[in-house]
Amino acid sequence: MNLLVSLGGWIAIGVIAALVLIIIIWAIATFNKIVSLRTQCDDGFSTIDIYLKKRYDLIPNLVETVKGYAKHESETFKAVTEARSKLAGATTPEEKIEADKQFSQAIRNFNMVVENYPELKANVNFMDLQGQLKAIESELAQSRKYYNATVRVYNVKIQTFPSLIIAKIMKAKKRTMFVIDNEEERQNVKVQF
């Protein structure tokens, strides 16, 4: 009888030890997954930063080219310059997202000015700069998609049970996504000939 009791005690200890080991392994795996997702978010935002910088560096050349043709559009040029400066001064992801929205709006206004100058559209330098800007905008859009996808996975991971337990211990915070706030950009495009 004593042998059965001691054998049952050892089995119970073994089961408890196995459960504790499983919980420890799960906690380590969850911690590592959250760190990996956070790193992917940082990497995605870093890529966006690279394209924002490329766009930031390209805009002065584009503005100078257009200034020669559209001297009386100084308000538009000033708005682009101010938006560019605000983007340069942004430090947090939230500030950069907001500054990017303002910068994108200034670029849209700038492009509307360009439409009024057909001779500008024939300028080789302008066409080259415009092509570079379109390429950067396309790369930026792809980077935003990647960033938003990684942020979505990360945010779900840190907000769902049971991984939210580890996330709270790590003090993991929800990330902000790049979203379109401007209703005009969400509307269907009207094409008129």
Side-chain angles (χ1 to χ4, degrees):
M1 181 88 165
N2 282 340
L3 183 62
L4 281 176
V5 171
S6 77
L7 185 61
W10 283 110
I11 291 174
I13 291 172
V15 168
I16 291 171
L19 286 174
V20 168
L21 185 62
I22 289 170
I23 290 171
I24 290 171
I25 290 171
W26 168 82
I28 291 170
T30 301
F31 177 88
N32 289 341
K33 182 65 176 178
I34 291 171
V35 168
S36 173
L37 291 171
R38 183 174 52 204
T39 302
Q40 287 176 356
C41 290
D42 292 342
D43 179 55
F45 196 81
S46 175
T47 303
I48 290 172
D49 247 0
I50 290 167
Y51 291 121
L52 290 175
K53 174 75 169 113
K54 282 173 98 174
R55 184 174 69 174
Y56 175 87
D57 291 341
L58 178 66
I59 293 302
N61 296 332
L62 196 57
V63 168
E64 286 304 315
T65 302
V66 175
K67 272 185 180 178
Y69 287 88
K71 291 182 171 87
H72 60 282
E73 302 286 356
S74 62
E75 278 302 310
T76 303
F77 301 136
K78 182 179 176 188
V80 169
T81 304
E82 287 174 359
R84 183 176 178 265
S85 295
K86 190 176 246 184
L87 186 59
T91 55
T92 67
E94 291 76 16
E95 288 173 352
K96 287 184 182 188
I97 289 170
E98 185 57 38
D100 177 59
K101 289 176 192 173
Q102 292 175 7
F103 193 60
S104 294
Q105 181 62 45
I107 294 296
R108 275 189 295 285
N109 294 341
F110 179 79
N111 287 334
M112 290 190 313
V113 166
V114 168
E115 290 298 317
N116 296 327
Y117 297 91
E119 66 277 6
L120 175 62
K121 291 187 227 173
N123 180 295
V124 176
N125 288 340
F126 175 75
M127 295 303 291
D128 180 50
L129 293 169
Q130 190 75 358
Q132 288 179 42
L133 184 60
K134 283 181 182 178
I136 289 171
E137 290 297 331
S138 176
E139 292 166 345
L140 191 52
Q142 292 302 318
S143 297
R144 286 178 183 141
K145 280 190 217 176
Y146 173 77
Y147 173 75
N148 282 345
T150 59
V151 166
R152 179 182 38 79
V153 172
Y154 173 79
N155 286 345
V156 167
K157 186 72 172 174
I158 67 167
Q159 294 176 0
T160 55
F161 186 81
S163 58
L164 72 88
I165 296 167
I166 302 299
K168 286 196 182 289
I169 292 169
M170 294 173 64
K171 296 182 175 134
K173 293 186 177 16
K174 187 177 175 185
R175 297 284 178 111
T176 304
M177 297 178 89
F178 265 96
V179 293
I180 297 174
D181 287 340
N182 186 343
E183 280 301 315
E184 290 176 11
E185 293 179 44
R186 294 181 183 194
Q187 302 301 321
N188 286 336
V189 177
K190 293 180 184 178
V191 179
Q192 296 176 346
F193 296 102

